[in-house]
Amino acid sequence: MALGTATGAYELRFDAGRICLDLLATTHPEERFDSVEVLRAWITGSGLVPPDTPLAHVDASWLVGFRELRGLTGGLVRGGLDPAPRPSYDIALARVNDIARAAPPAPRAVRGEDGTLVRELDHPPECAALLGAVARDALELLTDPVARAGLRECEGDNCPIVYLDTSRGRRRRWCSSEVCGNRERVARHRRRAALARA
């Protein structure tokens, strides 16, 4: 899983702490999976495949699959924060369990240009294999009580992003200090300045 920080509010983000949560972040602040090119960038950026993996075979049907899994995972993660049982939760769980059954892409080690071993895939990844990897990550998160206890929803205004709080003392408040945290600090400064002027 690639963990990085976004340098802008509207870039693909990989800072939620789990690949399944990074998938959920692709809906904010707007739909990010609006093209196959963006999906290819997300697949590589998320660490689902090694860098430079050919993804020319990715087509619009992949967008449908990733959007479906994103919706199901979002329902499970947010439903996990609310323990009341619901039939829609059980339906989503059954579907994610089905998606998770797909075999993961087979890795292999090869010599890189400098002679060191690097990871690549045995053959171009199939959509079902990548969806299965993300679904398994969601199931691992939801069945791990320690990780599940670290799930938080961003406290930023109008930010629905759910992240895994692994901070010391579990005091993280925002999905990203650089995005929502910065917005909160600017808003606080403006409120103080307005009070000082009044």
Side-chain angles (χ1 to χ4, degrees):
M1 173 182 358
L3 294 177
T5 57
T7 56
Y10 303 106
E11 294 179 8
L12 290 174
R13 296 180 52 184
F14 304 102
D15 54 0
R18 295 294 289 247
I19 197 167
C20 62
L21 299 177
D22 289 337
L23 179 64
L24 297 183
T26 62
T27 61
H28 183 73
E30 60 192 23
E31 174 61 61
R32 300 299 296 157
F33 287 167
D34 57 0
S35 71
V36 171
E37 292 74 25
V38 173
L39 178 58
R40 287 180 186 135
W42 187 85
I43 289 169
T44 301
S46 68
L48 272 174
V49 299
D52 302 322
T53 297
L55 295 173
H57 63 292
V58 174
D59 61 27
S61 68
W62 288 47
L63 285 170
V64 173
F66 274 87
R67 286 177 184 157
E68 177 196 15
L69 180 58
R70 180 181 65 193
L72 295 166
T73 301
L76 293 177
V77 167
R78 287 183 175 84
L81 298 173
D82 174 21
R86 291 184 316 272
S88 61
Y89 186 91
D90 293 337
I91 292 168
L93 184 59
R95 180 71 181 120
V96 172
N97 280 328
D98 285 342
I99 294 169
R101 287 188 178 108
R108 65 181 181 157
V110 297
R111 293 224 178 262
E113 291 179 14
D114 63 357
T116 61
L117 292 178
V118 295
R119 180 177 65 105
E120 68 176 36
L121 298 182
D122 189 49
H123 57 278
E126 296 174 7
C127 184
L130 297 182
L131 289 172
V134 178
R136 278 189 297 282
D137 183 62
L139 295 175
E140 288 170 11
L141 172 64
L142 294 169
T143 58
D144 179 348
V146 174
R148 196 174 58 242
L151 285 174
R152 304 280 184 272
E153 191 160 5
C154 183
E155 292 180 20
D157 285 340
N158 300 315
C159 183
I161 292 180
V162 176
Y163 61 89
L164 188 62
D165 183 2
T166 57
S167 67
R168 198 171 171 167
R170 300 220 178 188
R171 295 183 183 151
R172 183 174 161 190
R173 297 178 50 206
W174 304 295
C175 61
S176 169
S177 182
E178 292 83 12
V179 179
C180 288
N182 190 48
R183 284 186 196 133
E184 178 66 27
R185 289 186 287 275
V186 168
R188 209 174 347 182
H189 172 74
R190 288 181 179 158
R191 285 191 298 270
R192 281 194 305 264
L195 285 173
R197 285 191 303 269

